[in-house]
Structures are given as C-alpha cells and as structure tokens.
Amino acid sequence: MSTARPPMRVRMRAYFLLFAAAAMIAYAVAGDGRPVVQLIIVATPLATFLYALASRRLPHQRPWAIAVGGLIVLLVGQLSWPGWLDEHVGRAGGTPAELTLSAAHGLFLMGTAMALRRRLASDVGGLVDAALLGLCAGGPLWVWGVQPHLESDTSSLGELLLMVDVFAICGVIGCLVRMGAARGPGRGTIVYLLLTAVLTLAGLAAGRPEPLLLAFLTIGAAPIQPLAASVTEPVSASVTDPVSGRVTLRWLAVALCVNPLLTVVQIMRGDQSASLMLAVGTLLVIPLVLLRFHRLSVQREHAERTLAHQASHDELTGLRNRRHMMVAIDDALRGPDGATVLLCDLDGFKPINDRFGHAAGDEALTVVAARLTAVTRENDVVGRLGGDEFLVVCPSSDAGDLAARIEETLRLPMALSAGVITIGATVGAASVPAGSGLGREAVVARADAAMYARKAPRRAGSSRVLTAMSDTPQH
C-alpha cells in the first residue's frame, strides 16, 4: 500500500530545518574552521536567490535582484574579513566590516520596500502606520536591549550605524507583520522574511553571530518557497472600520511619545547618547509622518471629489442629476443667446422592466444616456430627471434639429444582455430668447406640455417593445 507524499511546502520546510540544524551544529563544533562555515552559510542565500531568479520563479525580479546585491556585499565582506561576524556584530566600532553590514541592510531595506509597495499598493496608509509603530519600538529596544551590551570602545560612527540598523529593522518588522496580516498567497515566504528580520535584530542586540547566521539561512529559504512569486503580487487591503482606525491612532500617539520620554529619562540620568537616539528616531519618523499626512490629504481630496460628483450626478447613468440640471437651466437663461430645454420621455420602457427585470431596465437606461451624450453638442448639458425622463439644456434659443436627432437615435435597436430591444422616445422642446424673464419652472413646464402634445397622437404606435433574441449583443 503506497503512502501519499507530504505537500511540497511541508517537505521544503523539513529540508530547511535539517540544513539549518546541520549548519549551526557545524558552526558550533568547527573551532578554527568557523570562518569557512560562515562563508558557506553566507553564500547559501545568494545561491538560492540566483537559482530562483534564473529559473524565472520570480516574475517581478527587481526587489529580489536588489536583495541579491545586499547578499553580494555580505559575501564580499566575509571574503575580505574572514570570521568578522564573531568579532564585529553589534560592537558599534565603526569598522569597515560594520559598514559593509549596514550597506547590505540598506539594500535589503530597498528591496523590501519595493515588494511592500507592490503587494499593498492599496494600503499605503496601513503600511506607514505599521512602519511608524515599528520605528517607535526601536527606542526601547535600543535602551534596554542593545546599549547594555555595548563595549566602552564604541565609536560615534559605529553607534550611529548600529542605531540606524536597529530602528530600520524594527520598521521593516512592522511592515512585514502588516504584509502577512493582509489576505493573500505567499505567507510562507513572508514568514521567512519576518524571521530573518527578527533574528538579525536579535543578533545585533545581543552582539552574537548565531542569530545572524540563522537569519542568513531563513532568508535563503524565502525565494524557493512554492508561492514566493506571489509576495510581489498586489492584494486587496481589508476595509478598516472606524473603531479600529481610532485604536490605531491611539497606538500611534502612544508610540510617538515613547522615544522622547525615554530621551528625557536618559538625560536625567546623565546618558550622553540620549540626544543621538532622539535625533536618529526623529529623522526616521518625520518622513513617515509627512507621508501619512500626504496620504490623508489625498484621501480627503478624493472623498470631497466623490461627494461633489455624487451630489451633482445620477448614480446609475453618470449624467447630471435633477439639481444640477436646474442650475444649468438658470445659467442658460442668464446667457446672451437664450436657452432651449428638451424634455425626453422614453416610450414603452415599463414593459422592459416587467418582462426582463429591473437589471435590463437599468442597462437600457445606461445605453440611452450614452446615446444622448453622443448625439448632443459640446456645450449642451445632458441629465436624468428620474425614472425614464431625461433633460437636455442648450445654451441657445436655436437647437436646430436636435430633438429629431434624439428621437431617431433612441429608436435604434439596443443590444442588452437579455436580447435586442427597440423602444420609442418623445421629445418636447421649449426655446426662449435672452431676457425673456421666464424662470426655469416655466420653461420646463413648456417643454413638458410640448412633449405630451406630441406623445398623445403617437402613444399607440411609439409605445412598443420589439424583442429579438440575440446571442451576440451589438451596441
């Protein structure tokens, strides 16, 4: 009896755990051979990244290629200073090896930012909030996790580089948590990337190479996961309700107060590095706060434009609504050329709703709106009063044969999802010269009377629905 093989992701996870365990055991027992083991571990993620890129497993290659640049920098550092992880991790000495590590982290940060931008393009505000929360967590971690392990021979440059690393990685962790919380494929790869960031932070805070070596192994597993390619695919962000939005704002307010309060406590204790931590934290937080304000401003402007459009346009057809059309009539009456108001009523529209349903009726109304917009002139204003009544306002007392052209174009067959239908239309026109003194109610009443005068003798012939089933609708 054959046994089913475990899923690919389970097998790959088992292979990774076995390799990681073997690598760390080899590092522990290598003694003087540790630099060689370090070199193999540092080269492992570079090999997996290059394999994933060469095999086209990653369609959006730029973020991964930038990460490859960071891995190459680390490999060059390992070749230039064998065993440097044992001597320089978290030491803040400002050595070239530490500069190499910071440069590699910068490239990783760029690649991660590009992946985050692609995956959560619809949730930029959430990403900024997550990054801010992460950055603000860097202050307590620095004070209580990193500073106690620093040696007395640290340099200002080394301390600055290490502090920037700690704050930046905290921000990345916040973004990766947000990235993993969004629904979508590729969470396995995101988990490996998150473990990489956490282990790197642990290695820098403790000044130990072991967590950093494990970080090399976890990032090496990220690009060869079955759904690694989907990490850079856009996913829809969940809609945030007002309550959770207020909770996030409160947490941000608390987080932004943490670093200044820690700085005050350190200064009162006579710690000279407090001002540096405040400066670094502030310089990293300010761009994110400005970006958040910019996003809020853009969202507000978009909401205002949407509300303005909804207030003046019909939701179904996109034409101007009754309120806007009344304003358009007033504007035309005040103009130097007079005004013409055309009131259009569809003949035989009710049977469409009765026979095919309201969805077909709505579809017919959108076709009517498109045809009215196409047949009218550039300066004419087209709107829907409601139901099957439409209004056209011309800024001139001479509309020519526009009424006839409207009736002609609306009598053409309409291809709907339910079939091809034909409806009639009756247009009543009212033209007034400039300075007539008539108001919009009087002009609309004249157009309405003209429409009913034309509709009465045609009611029997024009109010019809001709239906012919068609598998291939044509507009």
Side-chain angles (χ1 to χ4, degrees):
M1 182 177 178
S2 61
T3 304
R5 299 181 66 187
M8 173 64 73
R9 64 178 181 273
V10 175
R11 284 181 285 146
M12 293 189 68
R13 194 174 300 154
Y15 296 152
F16 164 74
L17 292 174
L18 288 173
F19 180 77
M24 296 310 297
I25 291 173
Y27 176 78
V29 302
D32 294 338
R34 281 188 172 184
V36 176
V37 178
Q38 288 183 6
L39 180 61
I40 295 173
I41 293 176
V42 171
T44 297
L46 181 59
T48 59
F49 270 71
L50 290 176
Y51 164 73
L53 290 172
S55 60
R56 300 293 179 181
R57 293 168 55 91
L58 308 171
H60 304 288
Q61 298 192 350
R62 185 173 295 179
W64 304 97
I66 293 176
V68 167
L71 292 171
I72 291 175
V73 170
L74 289 173
L75 183 61
V76 170
Q78 181 64 27
L79 292 172
S80 302
W81 302 282
W84 65 283
L85 292 176
D86 291 327
E87 302 174 2
H88 299 286
V89 172
R91 296 292 191 268
T95 62
E98 293 174 3
L99 289 172
T100 300
L101 184 63
S102 296
H105 287 168
L107 290 172
F108 290 146
L109 182 62
M110 290 175 56
T112 304
M114 293 183 66
L116 289 167
R117 182 181 178 185
R118 282 193 58 85
R119 185 175 177 89
L120 294 179
S122 60
D123 189 29
V124 176
L127 274 179
V128 174
D129 292 345
L132 281 171
L133 289 172
L135 281 174
C136 293
L141 179 63
W142 174 263
V143 173
W144 296 315
V146 179
Q147 263 191 330
H149 299 94
L150 292 180
E151 304 291 341
S152 57
D153 58 346
T154 58
S155 68
S156 299
L157 176 61
E159 191 172 351
L160 175 63
L161 292 175
L162 183 58
M163 191 179 295
V164 170
D165 264 357
V166 169
F167 275 87
I169 294 173
C170 285
V172 169
I173 290 174
C175 291
L176 288 174
V177 170
R178 180 77 178 193
M179 191 177 185
R183 293 181 179 180
R187 287 190 176 184
T189 300
I190 297 172
V191 169
Y192 279 109
L193 294 174
L194 181 59
L195 281 174
T196 300
V198 172
L199 289 169
T200 301
L201 196 59
L204 293 177
R208 298 290 302 172
E210 290 84 1
L212 205 58
L213 292 174
L214 280 173
F216 283 117
L217 297 174
T218 54
I219 197 174
I224 57 176
Q225 296 301 303
L227 297 177
S230 59
V231 170
T232 53
E233 294 295 336
V235 297
S236 298
S238 59
V239 179
T240 303
D241 59 273
V243 175
S244 63
R246 289 193 293 270
V247 171
T248 300
L249 186 61
R250 291 168 185 169
W251 276 110
L252 283 173
V254 172
L256 291 172
C257 293
V258 169
N259 287 338
L261 290 176
L262 281 176
T263 303
V264 171
V265 172
Q266 286 186 297
I267 291 176
M268 292 177 65
R269 291 180 176 180
D271 191 339
Q272 299 299 321
S273 64
S275 56
L276 178 62
M277 186 191 73
L278 181 62
V280 170
T282 302
L283 289 175
L284 292 175
V285 165
I286 284 177
L288 292 176
V289 172
L290 293 177
L291 178 60
R292 193 66 175 104
F293 285 157
H294 172 70
R295 292 295 303 177
L296 289 173
S297 175
V298 170
Q299 291 172 355
R300 180 176 179 178
E301 291 176 359
H302 180 266
E304 289 175 348
R305 287 195 299 269
T306 301
L307 289 174
H309 184 272
Q310 292 174 347
S312 60
H313 288 73
D314 177 58
E315 183 179 1
L316 175 63
T317 62
L319 298 177
R320 279 80 169 182
N321 59 16
R322 176 184 291 271
R323 178 183 300 177
H324 189 110
M325 294 307 296
M326 295 302 105
V327 174
I329 294 174
D330 291 339
D331 292 341
L333 291 174
R334 287 194 295 267
D337 300 321
T340 299
V341 173
L342 304 173
L343 186 60
C344 175
D345 183 76
L346 302 182
D347 300 327
F349 176 74
K350 186 177 182 299
I352 297 177
N353 284 332
D354 295 341
R355 182 171 181 178
F356 301 109
H358 289 282
D362 290 346
E363 189 177 357
L365 290 175
T366 59
V367 174
V368 170
R371 290 184 178 182
L372 285 174
T373 303
V375 77
T376 51
R377 300 164 298 186
E378 182 178 359
N379 294 330
D380 298 336
V381 183
V382 183
R384 180 187 177 208
L385 297 183
D388 59 351
E389 284 191 337
F390 294 83
L391 192 70
V392 178
V393 178
C394 308
S396 170
S397 59
D398 182 12
D401 62 344
L402 182 58
R405 287 190 288 116
I406 289 176
E407 290 185 350
E408 181 181 356
T409 191
L410 293 185
R411 281 197 296 266
L412 296 175
M414 295 183 185
L416 306 181
S417 300
V420 178
I421 62 99
T422 302
I423 63 175
T426 303
V427 179
S431 297
V432 294
S436 65
L438 293 176
R440 63 187 180 192
E441 292 83 2
V443 177
V444 172
R446 286 188 179 186
D448 187 62
M451 182 192 69
Y452 277 102
R454 299 193 66 229
K455 183 183 284 286
R458 300 168 47 184
R459 186 177 300 275
S462 297
S463 298
R464 67 191 186 278
V465 179
L466 302 179
T467 306
M469 298 309 295
S470 173
D471 293 333
T472 308
Q474 298 177 358
H475 288 282

